[in-house]
Amino acid sequence: MSTDWNALSDEAFRAETRTFFENEFPGHFKFLPRRMRWAECRDWYLKLSKKGWIAPNWPREHGGMGLSPTKLLIYFEETERAGVGRMPDQGITMVGPTLIRFGNDAQRGHFLPRILAGDAIWCQGYSEPNSGSDLASLRTEAVPDGGDYVINGSKIWTSMAHDATHIYVLARTDKAAKKKQEGISFFLVDMKTPGITLRTIRNIAGHEEFCQVFFDNVRTPKENLVGELHKGWTIAKGLLGFERLNIGSPRRPLQAMEKLEALAQARGLMADAAFAERLTQLKLDLADLGSLYGRYVDKARRGEAMGPDVSMLKVWSMDTYQKLSELLLEAAGEYAPMEGEVSFGDTAIDVLSPFYNSRPGTIYGGSNEIQRNILAKYVLNLPS
Ligand SMILES: Cc1cc2nc3c(=O)[nH]c(=O)nc-3n(C[C@H](O)[C@H](O)[C@H](O)COP(=O)(O)OP(=O)(O)OC[C@H]3O[C@@H](n4cnc5c(N)ncnc54)[C@H](O)[C@@H]3O)c2cc1C
């Protein structure tokens, strides 16, 4: 089995990750204000994969690093410090953990090595044009036919679908089910299958980060059904738990904090007591986020389901990220609306990107309003 990184002291692990990320991540992609496209990050993905560092969150027996919460935080802190960009990583953050928990041996044996090797790049086929917050109302259908299921319908806001080789799809398999959550199944689909077409969509910052995906008589083999037929909602929620854990990771807020501190230093802002107090408050919020995240990473490592309370992590993480990005703009003063890196003395800082990047964080993975509804209903047991 691979190295037991948890056996290293935190200091030694930090030194190892810092040296690697600082020296090996390509300089021209550092602090990219958008997600990296697959063509840009393929070499980096493969380098991490070869080193055994591509899946810090997976158990070691499945080819991951099996990091403890503290080590995982160090890993993220060091990637942020070095300006390592976000890759199309849904295979690592969501599909792998979902197959480990809900898939069968054949699915794990087939897909996990391909995810690690960068041969299977995933996107998420959940939302539909009229089914976002009310996801269970989805209308994409899958009908059995011989050894396949035949899928018809459309998915929207599918992040990085134009770079993906595979998509996981929620589809209705029993229209007669009494409750809308029943009769939904979870499928794995190869994006090269005839009948799949894409339309790219531009985000607020002008980057093509997502797509609408159309399914016109798309066939996927029966082996690609995950879990039981009609019981996909449980798996869908399980995957959303992993998604909310990933969104809740402090890496994005940490990146905004790095910029904010550099800007405060460059503009001498810490001499202003009111500013210093706000920055300190956000540092404490970030520290709380780190502790909360660690608790859920531990849960994931024990193989436990995330549960509805993970919504708290998602809300806290994205609220903190947005507050940090807003203070960053305020601190930049008259330079706030400038795109790209702006020079402040010897330091160049991109002050606008965190603002753009943090806006959708309270929408994707289920909006923060929906997370609060979940907390109210399933954690606090308040009436609907
Ligand atoms: C950047 C980005 C990437 C995304 N990537 C993906 C992806 O890869 N795959 C995928 O499947 N989806 C993806 N999504 C879609 C995302 O999951 C949905 O946008 C989200 O679930 C909200 O759905 P909606 O857009 O249909 O908004 P709606 O459901 O129409 O909601 C509109 C507003 O009403 C509020 N609202 C709705 N119902 C309630 C309620 N019951 N109580 C209180 N408030 C309510 C919502 O909070 C929101 O503010 C992405 C979205 C974004 C912004």
Side-chain angles (χ1 to χ4, degrees), residues 5-15 71 74:
W5 297 103
N6 296 325
L8 286 187
S9 69
D10 289 350
E11 293 70 31
F13 183 66
R14 190 179 288 285
K71 293 284 191 305
I74 292 173

Side-chain angles (χ1 to χ4, degrees), residues 320-339:
T320 304
Y321 188 24
Q322 289 191 348
K323 284 184 201 159
L324 278 162
S325 74
E326 285 157 15
L327 189 57
L328 186 63
L329 283 195
E330 265 187 60
E334 66 275 29
Y335 301 102
M338 291 179 70
E339 285 202 352

Side-chain angles (χ1 to χ4, degrees), residues 35 90 94 123-135 155-161 168 203 209-211 240 243-244 357 359-371 373:
R35 287 173 76 143
Q90 290 204 28
M94 293 179 237
C123 62
Q124 179 185 63
Y126 274 23
S127 305
E128 297 185 5
N130 291 308
S131 301
S133 299
D134 186 12
L135 182 61
K155 298 289 175 179
I156 197 162
W157 315 123
T158 319
S159 297
M160 307 310 278
Y168 51 95
N203 68 14
E209 279 200 353
F210 32 42
C211 296
L240 281 172
E243 181 170 14
R244 288 167 192 159
N357 291 337
R359 291 305 99 187
T362 45
I363 303 172
Y364 57 64
S367 72
N368 276 18
E369 290 80 18
I370 294 301
Q371 304 314 305
N373 283 352

Side-chain angles (χ1 to χ4, degrees), residues 35 88-92 94-95 120-127 155-170 186-191 196 198 209-213 215 239 243:
R35 287 173 76 143
D89 55 6
Q90 290 204 28
I92 301 293
M94 293 179 237
V95 180
I121 304 299
W122 290 84
C123 62
Q124 179 185 63
Y126 274 23
S127 305
K155 298 289 175 179
I156 197 162
W157 315 123
T158 319
S159 297
M160 307 310 278
H162 40 340
D163 275 353
T165 59
H166 291 77
I167 181 168
Y168 51 95
V169 177
L170 286 184
F186 189 108
F187 296 99
L188 308 173
V189 182
D190 189 324
M191 291 290 277
I196 295 186
L198 301 181
E209 279 200 353
F210 32 42
C211 296
Q212 183 163 8
V213 185
F215 295 82
L239 184 137
E243 181 170 14

Side-chain angles (χ1 to χ4, degrees), residues 75-91:
Y75 181 100
F76 286 147
E77 280 168 7
E78 293 308 321
T79 52
E80 291 318 323
R81 178 192 292 273
V84 176
R86 179 147 182 235
M87 300 187 277
D89 55 6
Q90 290 204 28

Side-chain angles (χ1 to χ4, degrees), residues 95-108 225-227 235:
V95 180
T98 300
L99 291 182
I100 290 169
R101 186 168 168 77
F102 298 101
N104 57 36
D105 284 342
Q107 290 164 343
R108 280 190 283 272
L225 167 73
V226 182
I235 300 168

